[in-house]
Amino acid sequence: MLPALVLAALVAPPAAAQRRAPQVQAGVALSFGAIVAGSRAGQVTVTPDGDVRCAGVQCLSGARAGDFYVTGPKDYAVAVTVAPTILRATGGATLGVRITPSATTLLLLGGRRQTRFTVGGTLSIGANQPAGDYRGAYLVVLDYL
């Protein structure tokens, strides 16, 4: 079994001097769940909506999309960028992950109201991938447009 969990790491870079940086709060962590790999390569895709598709591997349970909550000035547009990452097991084995946000641009609601966006991703699993608990972090950058 290959349980793979992606934990979120956030960075909100400083915006222009006259604007306060958007405040970001992580909600539920993106998870690819428990997976059984085989003798051929495969992929697990979790869409930002939470749909799960497995190709070449058996998905058991626990897969889910992740989400984030952003607050900032009303009607300000924020660009969302997410970098690809690598998951690592304690034995050194790795898995590549491409993270997909539900939106690349957000229009903030303003005040204390939170603007929500979700993330999914595609996990690439090699043939005869070693079993393990694969974990990693990914970078989400929000920047005013």
Side-chain angles (χ1 to χ4, degrees), residues 99-136:
I99 307 294
T100 308
S102 58
T104 55
T105 305
L106 301 172
L107 188 60
L108 300 181
L109 297 173
R112 293 184 181 185
R113 296 185 304 174
Q114 297 177 323
T115 304
R116 178 179 180 256
F117 72 96
T118 58
V119 291
T122 300
L123 178 68
S124 298
I125 301 163
N128 301 310
Q129 184 75 38
D133 186 10
Y134 289 77
R135 295 181 179 267

Side-chain angles (χ1 to χ4, degrees), residues 4-6 32 85-89 93-97 123 134-137:
L5 173 67
V6 176
F32 293 95
T85 192
I86 295 175
L87 301 182
R88 296 186 190 285
T94 61
L95 292 168
V97 181
L123 178 68
Y134 289 77
R135 295 181 179 267

Side-chain angles (χ1 to χ4, degrees), residues 2 11 13 18 23 25 29 51 63 70 72-73 76 79 88 90 96 102 106 112 119 131:
L2 286 175
V11 171
Q18 70 272 22
Q23 301 299 307
Q25 180 180 8
D51 293 331
V70 184
Y76 275 72
R88 296 186 190 285
T90 52
S102 58
L106 301 172
R112 293 184 181 185
V119 291

